Amino acid sequence: MSTISNMYETPKKHSIKLLFLLFSAIVFVSRIWYIRECNTLAIRNDEYGYWSHAALFSGHDWSDVLAGHMNWYSYGYSLVLTPLFWFSHSLRVMYKAAIIQNGIFGVLSFLICYQCAQILFPAIGRRILLAVSFSVCMYSSYITQGAIAWSESFLYLLVWLLLYLFLLFEQRPCVSRALLLSLCMGGCYITHNRTVGIVTAYVLVVLFLRLSDAIGWKLFAALLLPLCVILFINVDIKSYLCIIEGFGIKPKNGMGAQKEHLMSLLTIQGWWNLARSLSGQLWCLATSTFGMLFWGLAYCAGAVLQALRAKKAGHHLAFYLFTLLASIGTFLISAISLIDPASITNLESDTDLSYFIYTRYDECIIGILLLLGLLDFMYRKKDVKFMLLTLGSICLYTGMGAILYCNLQRIADTWHYRSFCAAGIGFYRLFSKEFSMGWCVFISGVVFSLLFLLSLRHKRRSLHTALCCILLIAVFVPTGLYSSQIGTINSQQGKVSCGNLGLYYQLKKVVGNRNVYCTLEDTDNFRIAYELQVNLIDTHVFSITLEDLPIQESGYFICCSSADLGNLKGDDYYLLAQSDAYSAVVKGDSLANAVSILTGEELERVGTGAS
């Protein structure tokens, strides 16, 4: 009998491995789907901030471009980008490598999600846990963020690792696991400071464990000491980077950035703004997860409340408490950071919808809520309590939707929002040119209803759970890819079509070790200077006004607005290349002759001295 049993187990184990490899391949491909189009930084200042740290760590000085313009960005993700500078100095190659890294981060996140599911739900079959973990990791925004070389995909991995290490520590508390957990928490914080809500939850739970005598002083110290060391050292590293890279110690680079927002909470209007922002974000997250966000929160809250009633710690109580507090903290930090009194109060002005539906900061924590919510929703007994919880979730969703709807009615331009930061609700764009709450609610309601009907079947539950996963993936994948296309890839293709990349390429061929001055109409129009620097990795680029050019010197290059060509004073300026809006200029007769020999073309003279 044992031989027969072993013969049965062997194909079963192999099938699970094959299924894992198949799902991993799909996760990886979904993250790098647009890799052929990913050639350049295209999104926000965040990308330039992360890459500038990595450049400094690899020995490059970009401070003359960033000084005075850029605000602080955490350096944790920059440590991952730094090795790319060791192997290539081509942004095209490096950017594609960063996208491949995102694919690897996605696969590792899937693996850790599956490990967490096995610990939390040991009674459920491994195939089902694999399928559910796969559907969680195919969440729309996770796919969208894969096409962007910024910290999100790496942060998702770190948070999953943090949750997994917490579960391991909960299973067998020991110093080594406590140290790893604390180090991972510190790693999350230096990757993105918005995880301060998770850090706060972590500290509170550790204090709770010590006060309840669940852990001794030795474990207490091991859980907090590495984190405290990282936080203290981070202050010095941050100050050093701000000074050496030219950011400066500005209020926006620290907690001072939130001072105005926090002070606004002393007023009734401030609390109303917070309610608006928080309601919009939770409505958006609930819509994009088809209600599973609420079920995940309810599952964690139910575990905590049950332990309080029984006055006895339930299974994984500390983990559920940590997840609940980390989620609440993250939502609040995100909402407070987006309270901009000048924009969110005066809604009749040109208000960015992102203030209401910006979910990027929240999505590092909702993966676990989606996992818990979906499994609880499918396997919970369908009784009166289930129906009351369902109705309560619908009422809460309706209330938040009403608050959002009443405020959005006052905004004229409902197209203006950052699609890559609210990718989960991107499915409405397939049916409406402008943001449509109606389509969002309709599609979300249909998917939730189908999930609900599938969850009612008790027989062959595994099959119905698998169908639920297929349904979610069928919505997540096109939504994520479409949001990535309109929010990221179109921006990158726009840079190609306007000729900017060609301009940088021409400069790179002839620049050598000479300086490049990027002239701006004013120092606020700095995006072209950033683009120029990241494409000319080894070149010293200066961000400067036209009036401040060193006109008495020669032997350098200029990148300026094409409209400014006639304002270059002198007769030793020569046109090298042009895009739609910008021009690359050679300063100096001798340099122009040398460049002409390299390019095989005679350069046209420009400036006030041109004939």
Side-chain angles (χ1 to χ4, degrees):
M1 281 299 287
S2 61
T3 304
I4 297 174
S5 178
N6 290 335
M7 291 176 62
Y8 174 77
E9 284 294 327
T10 300
K12 186 176 180 181
K13 289 180 180 179
H14 285 309
S15 67
I16 292 174
K17 290 179 180 178
L18 291 174
L19 198 60
F20 174 77
L21 290 175
L22 174 63
F23 288 160
S24 296
I26 297 174
V27 169
F28 181 78
V29 170
S30 69
R31 267 60 169 182
I32 68 166
W33 186 258
Y34 290 113
I35 193 169
R36 288 179 298 176
E37 289 87 354
C38 293
N39 298 314
T40 180
L41 307 185
I43 307 302
R44 296 288 166 188
N45 296 346
D46 303 51
E47 281 190 295
Y48 299 111
Y50 300 136
W51 284 82
S52 69
H53 292 323
L56 179 66
F57 296 155
S58 60
H60 299 80
D61 180 11
W62 293 359
S63 60
D64 285 299
V65 167
L66 303 175
H69 306 313
M70 188 71 74
N71 293 308
W72 168 256
Y73 291 92
S74 298
Y75 56 89
Y77 178 58
S78 304
L79 297 174
V80 177
L81 295 176
T82 300
L84 301 182
F85 284 83
W86 303 341
F87 300 104
S88 175
H89 285 195
S90 167
L91 179 66
R92 180 186 179 91
V93 174
M94 294 166 66
Y95 203 86
K96 290 181 184 295
I99 301 305
I100 291 174
Q101 282 185 337
N102 286 346
I104 296 172
F105 297 152
V107 173
L108 292 175
S109 297
F110 167 52
L111 171 61
I112 297 173
C113 176
Y114 171 60
Q115 295 294 331
C116 291
Q118 282 190 301
I119 296 173
L120 293 169
F121 300 93
I124 299 178
R126 286 183 292 174
R127 287 191 183 87
I128 290 301
L129 294 181
L130 265 177
V132 172
S133 299
F134 173 59
S135 64
V136 168
C137 291
M138 295 300 288
Y139 175 62
S140 307
S141 293
Y142 294 167
I143 295 175
T144 299
Q145 304 299 344
I148 309 173
W150 60 3
S151 65
E152 307 310 303
S153 295
F154 182 58
L155 182 61
Y156 299 152
L157 170 61
L158 286 180
V159 173
W160 274 115
L161 180 59
L162 177 72
L163 295 168
Y164 177 60
L165 290 174
F166 200 106
L167 285 170
L168 290 182
F169 174 79
E170 195 178 45
Q171 281 186 323
R172 185 170 64 83
C174 63
V175 172
S176 60
R177 292 186 175 186
L179 291 174
L180 285 174
L181 180 58
S182 187
L183 288 171
C184 186
M185 185 69 265
C188 290
Y189 182 74
I190 66 171
T191 299
H192 207 303
N193 292 165
R194 301 291 183 193
T195 56
V196 65
I198 301 178
V199 173
T200 304
Y202 176 83
V203 173
L204 290 175
V205 171
V206 171
L207 288 173
F208 166 75
L209 292 175
R210 172 78 281 274
L211 293 174
S212 62
D213 290 325
I215 59 174
W217 286 106
K218 186 177 180 179
L219 287 178
F220 177 75
L223 286 169
L224 287 184
L225 189 57
L227 174 61
C228 292
V229 171
I230 290 173
L231 295 179
F232 278 114
I233 294 177
N234 179 67
V235 174
D236 290 332
I237 295 176
K238 180 176 179 179
S239 299
Y240 172 77
L241 291 176
C242 282
I243 293 172
I244 199 172
E245 291 186 278
F247 300 131
I249 308 298
K250 297 180 288 188
K252 197 166 185 179
N253 293 337
M255 287 303 295
Q258 309 304 328
K259 181 179 178 181
E260 184 180 2
H261 299 169
L262 292 171
M263 291 298 292
S264 71
L265 295 180
L266 299 177
T267 64
I268 295 177
Q269 182 63 57
W271 281 99
W272 178 228
N273 288 344
L274 178 62
R276 288 170 165 175
S277 180
L278 189 59
S279 294
Q281 288 179 76
L282 290 179
W283 178 89
C284 185
L285 289 169
T287 301
S288 63
T289 60
F290 311 107
M292 294 303 107
L293 169 78
F294 290 147
W295 279 90
L297 288 171
Y299 185 81
C300 294
V304 174
L305 291 174
Q306 185 177 358
L308 289 175
R309 290 197 196 99
K311 296 182 180 181
K312 180 182 178 182
H315 206 40
H316 301 303
L317 172 63
F319 177 81
Y320 293 132
L321 179 61
F322 172 61
T323 302
L324 181 64
L325 293 178
S327 300
I328 294 172
T330 301
F331 297 151
L332 286 174
I333 291 296
S334 178
I336 292 172
S337 69
L338 293 172
I339 297 176
D340 187 336
S343 296
I344 204 168
T345 303
N346 304 318
L347 297 182
E348 289 78 8
S349 64
D350 183 20
T351 300
D352 189 341
L353 292 185
S354 301
Y355 286 102
F356 295 99
I357 58 177
Y358 194 101
T359 58
R360 172 188 159 209
Y361 294 153
D362 303 316
E363 284 164 337
C364 65
I365 194 66
I366 67 166
I368 186 64
L369 298 178
L370 189 53
L371 176 69
L372 295 173
L374 182 58
L375 286 170
D376 181 49
F377 186 80
M378 292 302 300
Y379 285 87
R380 180 188 284 265
K381 185 179 179 180
K382 304 307 182 287
D383 52 12
V384 175
K385 187 177 180 180
F386 176 89
M387 297 306 299
L388 290 176
L389 192 56
T390 302
L391 290 175
S393 299
I394 293 173
C395 290
L396 181 59
Y397 176 77
T398 303
M400 293 187 304
I403 294 175
L404 182 61
Y405 177 79
C406 292
N407 286 283
L408 295 187
Q409 286 299 302
R410 299 162 61 187
I411 303 176
D413 182 12
T414 55
W415 172 256
H416 181 49
Y417 89 100
R418 305 167 198 173
S419 57
F420 52 87
C421 291
I425 58 170
F427 44 67
Y428 83 86
R429 284 180 179 263
L430 299 171
F431 304 94
S432 174
K433 290 184 177 181
E434 294 189 346
F435 175 73
S436 171
M437 283 191 68
W439 276 113
C440 285
V441 173
F442 175 76
I443 297 171
S444 185
V446 169
V447 175
F448 175 80
S449 299
L450 292 173
L451 292 173
F452 178 79
L453 291 174
L454 287 170
S455 72
L456 293 177
R457 295 298 299 270
H458 292 282
K459 294 182 179 180
R460 305 188 68 183
R461 189 185 294 273
S462 296
L463 174 62
H464 289 273
T465 305
L467 290 175
C468 283
C469 294
I470 293 172
L471 174 63
L472 289 175
I473 293 167
V475 183
F476 286 159
V477 173
T479 302
L481 291 177
Y482 186 64
S483 295
S484 182
Q485 175 70 48
I486 62 175
T488 305
I489 304 306
N490 287 352
S491 298
Q492 295 181 349
Q493 291 176 342
K495 294 188 181 215
V496 175
S497 63
C498 72
N500 279 359
L501 293 185
L503 176 74
Y504 306 146
Y505 179 71
Q506 290 297 320
L507 262 174
K508 190 171 185 177
K509 287 197 300 184
V510 300
V511 69
N513 60 356
R514 298 176 181 86
N515 295 332
V516 176
Y517 292 89
C518 186
T519 65
L520 311 172
E521 296 176 4
D522 56 61
T523 54
D524 292 330
N525 182 23
F526 47 77
R527 188 59 62 82
I528 185 67
Y530 290 173
E531 292 180 14
L532 186 62
Q533 180 64 88
V534 298
N535 281 277
L536 305 180
I537 292 172
D538 299 308
T539 303
H540 200 153
V541 177
F542 295 83
S543 177
I544 196 172
T545 61
L546 191 66
E547 293 75 15
D548 293 330
L549 273 175
I551 58 176
Q552 302 302 323
E553 302 175 14
S554 62
Y556 59 84
F557 295 85
I558 303 168
C559 179
C560 64
S561 169
S562 296
D564 284 334
L565 290 178
N567 298 325
L568 297 171
K569 298 178 181 180
D571 59 358
D572 60 344
Y573 295 95
Y574 300 85
L575 181 64
L576 172 65
Q578 280 187 303
S579 65
D580 285 356
Y582 297 97
S583 298
V585 176
V586 179
K587 173 67 163 71
D589 296 326
S590 60
L591 178 58
N593 291 331
V595 171
S596 295
I597 294 173
L598 286 173
T599 61
E601 299 178 2
E602 185 176 352
L603 304 185
E604 175 188 354
R605 192 188 301 268
V606 294
T608 58
S611 57

